[in-house]
Amino acid sequence: MGPLEHLPVLMVVIFFCGAFLMPLLFRWARPICAPLMVAILAAALVMAIIILQSVYQLGPQLYHLGGWPPPWGIELKVDLLRVYMLLVLFVISLWIFIYALRDLGNELKEELIGWYYTLYALLVGSMAGIALTNDLFNLFVMMEICAITACAIISIKEDRECLEASFKYLILSAMGTGCFLLGVAMLYMATGYLNYDYLHGSLVEAIALYPRNLLLAAALFIVAFGTKAALFPLHVWLPDAHASAPSPSSAMLSGLVIKIYAFALLIVFYEVFPAEMLQGVPLNEIILWLGSLGAMFGSIYAMLQTDLKKMLAFSSIGQIGYIFMGIGFNHEMALIGGLYHVGVHAVTKAMLFMAAGVIIYATGVRKISDMDGIGRNLPLTMAAFAVGSASMIGLPGTGGLISKWYLSLGALEMGRPFFVIIILISSLLNAVYYMPIVINAFLYHGEFQFRVKPVPRVMLATLIFGMIVIIISGVFSRPAVVLLEDAVSRFF
Amino acid sequence: MELLRNIADNYYYMVAVVLFVIGMYTMLTHSNMIKKVIAMNIMDTSVFLLFVSVGYLSGGRAPIVDEGLSAAAYANPLPGALMLTGIVVAVSVTAYALSLVVKIYRYYGTCDYDEITDIRSRE
C-alpha cells in the first residue's frame, strides 16, 4: 500500500493546505497562485481516479484519521458511491476554476482574488470532506466550513445585494446546522456513537427503546439538509444568493454546493438509519412529495423571472427536486436516476451560469427581454445555452433525458405513475421558460441592441467542454450508470 | 404523574429545548440583524448544553484513569470535547455574520431588515 493508503485524507488536506498558502503566495509570488490552484484541483482529481481503481479492485476502504480506530477516532470511507460524488466534485470544480481565472478580474477587486482562491479551496475541500466522512460530528464540522465559505464567495463581491443575500443565506444555514446538531445529539443520546457503521448497528436495537428520539432526529435531519440543499419550501435563501453572486460562485453554488447536502441526506438516510426506522413513518414519502412540489414550483417561479441569473437560480430549486425524488422513491432505478442527475445537473447548471457570466462579461445585459438577437453576436455562448436548456428539459441526446428516464422507470416500477406525470409536467414547464430565450436569441428579426466586447478564448473553451460533457452523458451513459448500479445495489 | 416526574428528572433537556425554540423563533421572526445573530448563538448554545448534559454523571469523576475504579465512575469526556469544537465553529460563524452586518450597516445606515426593505423600495 505505502503512501497510497493515505489518499482519502490527502484529498481533503491538500485543499486546506492550499487555502492556507494562497494569501501568502498572492502577496509575494502572485503569478504562481492560479497554476498552483489548478495543480491542486488536478491532483485531487488524479487521486480520486486512483481511488476509483483501487475500490474496483479491493472493494470499499476505511481510513482512520491519526490511527485512532472508531468509535473514538474519525473515520473516512471510500466506496463507489462516494468516489462517484468526488469525481463529479473535482471535475466540475476544476472546470469552473479555469473559467473563473478570466471572469474574476471582471467581477472582483484585484487584491481580493487571492482570498477568493482561499475560499474556493476551502469550499472544495470541505465538500470532499462531506462526501468522504463516516462520522456525524466530522460531517457537522465540514458542513460549517462549507456554509461559511459558500456565503463568503457570495459576499466577497461586496455590493449591497450580495451582502444581504449572503446574510440571509448564513442565517438560514445556521438554522440548518443548529437542527442538524440537535439531531446528532438525539442519536448520540440513544446510542452513544457518532460513527455511521456503529450507529447503524446500534440503531436497530435503539429504535424499540427510544422511537420518539430517533424520529425527532430524522425530522431534524430533513429540515437541516433540506434548508441547505434548498428543498422546497425551505428554498427562500437560494434565488438571491445564487443570482447576486459572481458568476463562478453561482456556478459553484448551484452546481455543487446544494448537491453535496442532498448527497449527505442520502448517505444518512440509507447508510445510518436502518430500514425498520423508515418503515413506520413515511419519511421517504415526505421527501418524495417535497421534491415533486419543488420540481413544480421551482419551474413556475422561474417562469416569472425577468433576470437571467435569477431564472437559473429558481430553476435549480426545480432540479434539486428531482434529486430528492430519486432519494424519496426508495427504489434502485430512481436512486440511480437521482444520482445521475447530481452529475448531469452539476455540469448543466454550472455551464448555464457560465454562459450567463459570458453574456454579462461581453454585453452587461442581465434582463431576459434585452437578449433578443444576441445569438448572432455570441453564437458559441448561445449554442452552449441551447445545449444546456435541452439538457434541463430532458431532450434526447442530453444527460437530462437519462436521469429523468431512470427516475420515471423507478416510479413506474414502484407502481406510482402519478409521479411520472409530475416529471413530464415539470419538464414541459422547463421548456416554457428555457426555449423562448434560445429561440429569441437566434431567430429574432431585429439587431441586438447592445455593444459586444470580444470574449476570451478560455471562457469559450470551458463552454465547449461543458457542451461535450452534456452530450457524452446523454449518448454514452452506460459506464456511469453501471458504476451507480454497483454503488447503490447494497442498499436494496 | 409519571410524565411530570420524567420531566422533573430530565429538566436540563427541557431547558435546552426551550432555549433552542427561543433561539430559532427569534432568528426567523426578528427583523433586527444583530438580534438574529444573538438568537443564532442562543440556539447553538442550547445544543451545546444538551450535548454536555448527555455526558454528565452526577458525582462522576474527571476522566483521568485511576486504578481500582470502574469505567462507570467517570463522566463521559467525549461530548465536552466535541462541544469545544462546536463552540469554535459557532464563534467563527458569529464573527463572519457580524462582519456582514457591519458592511450592510455602512450601505444603509441601519441593521433592521424592514427598514432596509423600505429604503430599497423607495429607490
Side-chain angles (χ1 to χ4, degrees), chain B residues 49-89:
Chain B
L49 287 174
L50 180 73
F51 236 112
V52 171
S53 62
V54 171
Y56 174 73
L57 180 72
S58 88
R61 296 166 62 101
I64 302 164
V65 179
D66 211 353
E67 279 185 34
L69 277 174
S70 75
Y74 303 107
N76 185 357
L78 191 69
L82 293 177
M83 285 313 107
L84 223 55
T85 317
I87 289 167
V88 173
V89 169

Side-chain angles (χ1 to χ4, degrees), chain A residues 41-351:
Chain A
L41 285 159
L45 181 58
V46 171
M47 285 190 240
I49 292 170
I50 295 173
I51 282 186
L52 175 67
Q53 263 182 344
S54 79
V55 170
Y56 261 125
Q57 283 164 4
L58 307 168
Q61 293 155 31
L62 299 170
Y63 180 84
H64 299 161
L65 229 63
W68 295 95
W72 300 284
I74 297 168
E75 193 177 47
L76 302 181
K77 187 177 186 181
V78 276
D79 54 16
L80 279 179
L81 188 59
R82 289 157 206 245
V83 174
Y84 167 77
M85 193 65 222
L86 287 175
L87 284 173
V88 171
L89 179 64
F90 293 144
V91 169
I92 290 171
S93 48
L94 177 60
W95 174 48
I96 295 175
F97 187 77
I98 291 172
Y99 169 86
L101 289 178
R102 291 313 294 266
D103 192 52
L104 279 181
N106 187 35
E107 305 222 30
L108 296 181
K109 286 183 217 141
E110 175 68 27
E111 68 270 19
L112 288 177
I113 288 177
W115 292 108
Y116 190 88
Y117 293 168
T118 300
L119 294 172
Y120 197 89
L122 278 175
L123 183 61
V124 180
S126 63
M127 283 195 284
I130 293 175
L132 278 168
T133 188
N134 207 25
D135 183 282
L136 272 181
F137 197 76
N138 192 229
L139 178 64
F140 161 76
V141 174
M142 290 296 175
M143 270 165 59
E144 281 297 76
I145 301 176
C146 186
I148 296 182
T149 45
C151 292
I153 61 169
I154 305 169
S155 67
I156 195 167
K157 203 170 151 192
E158 289 195 38
D159 64 5
R160 296 190 318 189
E161 284 83 14
C162 290
L163 290 172
E164 278 183 63
S166 56
F167 186 78
K168 198 169 166 189
Y169 184 13
L170 188 69
I171 286 293
L172 282 170
S173 135
M175 188 200 85
T177 29
C179 290
F180 177 74
L181 203 54
L182 192 59
V184 174
M186 296 287 162
L187 291 185
Y188 186 77
M189 273 161 79
T191 63
Y193 292 120
L194 291 166
N195 183 286
Y196 289 178
D197 300 328
Y198 282 81
L199 267 173
H200 185 79
S202 56
L203 275 178
V204 179
E205 294 158 29
I207 200 158
L209 293 172
Y210 314 102
R212 289 202 202 106
N213 274 26
L214 299 185
L215 273 181
L216 187 59
L220 285 166
F221 281 165
I222 293 185
V223 174
F225 292 119
T227 317
K228 285 168 169 276
L231 176 63
F232 183 85
L234 304 163
H235 64 272
V236 283
W237 56 270
L238 185 141
D240 291 340
H242 289 195
S244 63
S247 297
S249 308
S250 308
M252 200 68 192
L253 294 168
S254 249
L256 293 170
V257 175
I258 54 173
K259 310 286 176 342
I260 201 80
Y261 292 120
F263 182 78
L265 178 87
L266 187 160
I267 293 279
V268 170
F269 269 62
Y270 282 84
E271 258 185 25
V272 178
F273 291 162
E276 297 88 40
M277 186 155 162
L278 303 178
Q279 273 160 8
V281 198
L283 288 174
N284 275 323
E285 205 69 3
I286 293 170
I287 297 179
L288 178 60
W289 275 100
L290 290 181
S292 21
L293 282 174
M296 300 293 281
F297 280 96
S299 307
I300 291 170
Y301 286 134
M303 279 158 65
L304 306 172
Q305 301 307 314
T306 52
D307 182 292
L308 179 64
K309 280 180 82 174
K310 217 158 208 174
M311 186 204 87
L312 292 175
F314 271 109
S315 152
S316 282
I317 298 167
Q319 302 288 329
I320 199 85
Y322 292 129
I323 295 169
F324 277 104
M325 278 167 90
I327 298 171
F329 270 123
N330 203 4
H331 182 273
E332 191 173 356
M333 285 290 188
L335 191 57
I336 291 172
L339 280 168
Y340 199 74
H341 205 60
V342 168
V344 168
H345 180 249
V347 178
T348 314
K349 189 48 66 68
M351 191 184 76

